[in-house]
Amino acid sequence: MYDFAIIGGGIVGLSTGMALGKRYPNARILVLEKESQWAFHQTGNNSGVIHSGIYYKPGSFKAKFCHDGCRTMVEFCQEHGIDYEVCGKVIVATDKEELPRLENLYQRGLENGIDVRRITAEEVKEYEPHVKSVGGIFVSSTGIVSYKQVCFKYAEIIRQQGGDLRLNTKVERIVKSGNHQVLETNTGSFVTRFVINCAGLQSDRVAKMGKVDPQAKIVPFRGEYYELTPEKRSLVKGLIYPVPNPDFPFLGVHFTRMIDGTVHAGPNAVLSLKREGYHKTDFDLRDFAEVMTYPAFWKLAAKYADEGMKEIIRSFSKAVFTKSLQKLIPEVKSEDLVPTHAGVRAQALMNDGKLVDDFLVVRGENSVHVCNAPSPAATSSIEIGKYIVAQIPEQSHLQPVVSSVN
């Protein structure tokens, strides 16, 4: 008998397990992950950026959790000896038409309590000598880290707290049994008082297993990256982002120096024909049919048809991808870029055709379901974990440590 069972061993599931162990030191905590290692999907394939929170609507979970998470992530890395760097980033306008949007973004950063500074085109070059722009913003608190390493440390802490961690364990069915729930898996059944669903790309399906309807469906978007060849890494000193396109719900291709010194360029954003499909040829009939028969998807596709087609073209044409990058750094050439990993974003889409633009946490009977946690969930993970634990009704049979979730 477990007090809490967490489904999903990505950064949100593991941070929640860690927060639970701090809140309830005597609780029996179980974490189930269907893959052979932690952080296998979204967490292990992202760009490793410690985000500042500049992009998000003031007052939203994303804005608050990312602002606070930027600080707590750095503190966690310092405490546990995890390599990180607060290098800051530049967000640049590449033509004068983008300057009003850049100013709006600057004002949003101020509203979100972020240390942002307007910089001229000349000052942009002081940070990034090879960037061509007409002006920019410098965000000092942005950093880089390996979120896989962060996850491994989260898992180690859960284990030290006495938690039970199970890899290669896929939940196939959830059965209510009195005041308990039985998680039937490929390796046996587990009984728990409370279920926390952090299943990422499978979160909506797990919610429905638990008889909870999140009123949204996960639609997977693949983001493809190139990597600069070693001799061209000097073109990028830190993080270089364009002004986001208001006609498209993703940030656009950008340059990211990783904590290992490599430099990644991307991502684009194209519909994946498989929820866990990291290659263009990956296909799953069930995943594909669910999206194609979901009326909300066609509303979304119609709204973003023009930009969506540009993303598809960029996916199949290295020349077009390169041209997008040259808007930021004109010196980049096609031969400077080699394909690297892709990631799949678990984006929730509501039944009315609107993208869920904030973290979505849904309560069920003796359960909590995290049904939308794309970027900046990794940056925000410690704060999300605290929040999820705060949503759990007080467990009368356990003695909480109140200060640990304040």
Side-chain angles (χ1 to χ4, degrees):
M1 169 66 71
Y2 292 93
D3 296 298
F4 305 102
I6 298 166
I7 303 171
I11 198 163
V12 173
L14 292 168
S15 67
T16 301
M18 184 175 67
L20 275 171
K22 291 180 180 178
R23 172 76 168 177
Y24 298 108
N26 298 319
R28 293 201 65 201
I29 298 169
L30 172 69
V31 183
L32 301 177
E33 168 55 50
K34 67 185 178 68
E35 304 296 351
S36 60
Q37 60 180 271
W38 310 114
F40 192 85
H41 289 294
Q42 288 187 101
T43 306
N45 292 290
N46 68 22
S47 58
V49 175
I50 303 174
H51 288 285
S52 66
I54 190 172
Y55 299 108
Y56 312 114
K57 182 179 178 181
S60 66
F61 285 139
K62 282 188 176 182
K64 174 175 170 45
F65 292 166
C66 190
H67 175 272
D68 295 345
C70 182
R71 172 182 53 80
T72 53
M73 180 57 65
V74 168
E75 290 173 352
F76 183 87
C77 292
Q78 290 172 339
E79 180 181 355
H80 296 284
I82 296 171
D83 287 342
Y84 77 97
E85 182 182 345
V86 179
C87 54
K89 80 172 177 180
V90 293
I91 304 171
V92 298
T94 56
D95 59 57
K96 291 182 178 179
E97 287 72 26
E98 292 179 342
L99 288 174
R101 284 192 268 139
L102 186 70
E103 177 63 22
N104 290 340
L105 190 60
Y106 171 75
Q107 295 298 331
R108 173 161 284 192
L110 295 179
E111 286 184 71
N112 286 336
I114 296 163
D115 182 15
V116 293
R117 185 166 64 88
R118 294 190 193 93
I119 52 177
T120 65
E122 291 73 22
E123 289 173 317
V124 168
K125 285 191 171 293
E126 293 177 13
Y127 291 104
E128 296 289 349
H130 300 277
V131 168
K132 181 181 179 183
S133 74
V134 295
I137 296 170
F138 180 69
V139 187
S140 63
S141 58
T142 306
I144 53 176
V145 72
S146 166
Y147 284 118
K148 274 193 174 182
Q149 293 302 313
V150 172
C151 275
F152 296 158
K153 179 56 67 172
Y154 286 176
E156 181 183 323
I157 290 171
I158 295 169
R159 195 172 287 112
Q160 290 169 350
Q161 292 169 338
D164 190 356
L165 295 139
R166 306 284 185 107
L167 294 167
N168 300 302
T169 306
K170 181 180 180 180
V171 175
E172 298 172 337
R173 194 168 173 234
I174 301 175
V175 180
K176 183 173 173 56
S177 178
N179 294 327
H180 307 139
Q181 297 179 74
V182 181
L183 306 183
E184 297 181 356
T185 79
N186 60 319
T187 63
S189 296
F190 302 88
V191 182
T192 184
R193 301 177 194 273
F194 202 94
V195 171
I196 303 168
N197 166 19
C198 300
L201 285 156
Q202 308 295 336
S203 58
D204 57 336
R205 292 173 176 170
V206 170
K208 289 180 178 178
M209 282 185 200
K211 305 296 187 287
V212 172
D213 184 358
Q215 299 294 308
K217 186 183 292 292
I218 294 296
V219 176
F221 288 93
R222 186 174 62 255
E224 298 157 333
Y225 288 87
Y226 284 92
E227 182 179 330
L228 286 181
T229 57
E231 59 271 19
K232 293 295 183 177
R233 290 174 186 169
S234 60
L235 292 175
V236 177
K237 293 175 66 178
L239 307 174
I240 306 165
Y241 282 65
V243 180
N245 182 350
D247 297 326
F248 200 59
F250 302 107
L251 293 180
V253 295
H254 47 270
F255 291 93
T256 306
R257 180 165 60 84
M258 311 290 279
I259 197 65
D260 64 0
T262 60
V263 176
H264 288 192
N268 59 353
V270 295
L271 178 69
S272 177
L273 305 184
K274 181 180 179 181
R275 288 205 181 192
E276 296 163 2
Y278 298 98
H279 304 95
K280 292 182 178 69
T281 55
D282 287 345
F283 177 82
D284 181 273
L285 182 59
R286 178 191 177 190
D287 294 348
F288 176 73
E290 276 192 8
V291 173
M292 293 298 107
T293 58
Y294 187 36
F297 169 74
W298 294 106
K299 294 177 184 178
L300 179 75
K303 182 177 181 180
Y304 297 115
D306 291 344
E307 290 300 321
M309 185 55 65
K310 291 177 185 177
E311 293 292 310
I312 293 171
I313 293 171
R314 188 153 42 211
S315 174
F316 285 93
S317 171
K318 186 179 182 182
V320 174
F321 203 112
T322 304
K323 191 173 181 180
S324 297
L325 295 170
Q326 287 171 338
K327 290 181 180 179
L328 295 171
I329 300 181
E331 295 170 62
V332 170
K333 299 176 182 178
S334 179
E335 56 266 31
D336 301 332
L337 302 168
V338 293
T340 185
H341 73 94
V344 180
R345 178 190 183 107
Q347 176 64 57
L349 177 63
M350 293 186 291
N351 295 336
D352 62 4
K354 294 180 181 177
L355 292 170
V356 179
D357 62 0
D358 205 354
F359 300 135
L360 177 63
V361 180
V362 181
R363 288 279 301 274
E365 184 180 358
N366 295 322
S367 64
V368 171
H369 302 264
V370 183
C371 294
N372 193 62
S375 181
T379 301
S380 311
S381 58
I382 293 173
E383 302 306 312
I384 295 173
K386 292 177 185 177
Y387 174 79
I388 292 170
V389 172
Q391 301 311 297
I392 298 171
E394 201 66 62
Q395 304 294 299
S396 59
H397 67 292
L398 298 172
Q399 185 64 41
V401 176
V402 177
S403 63
S404 66
V405 293
N406 289 342

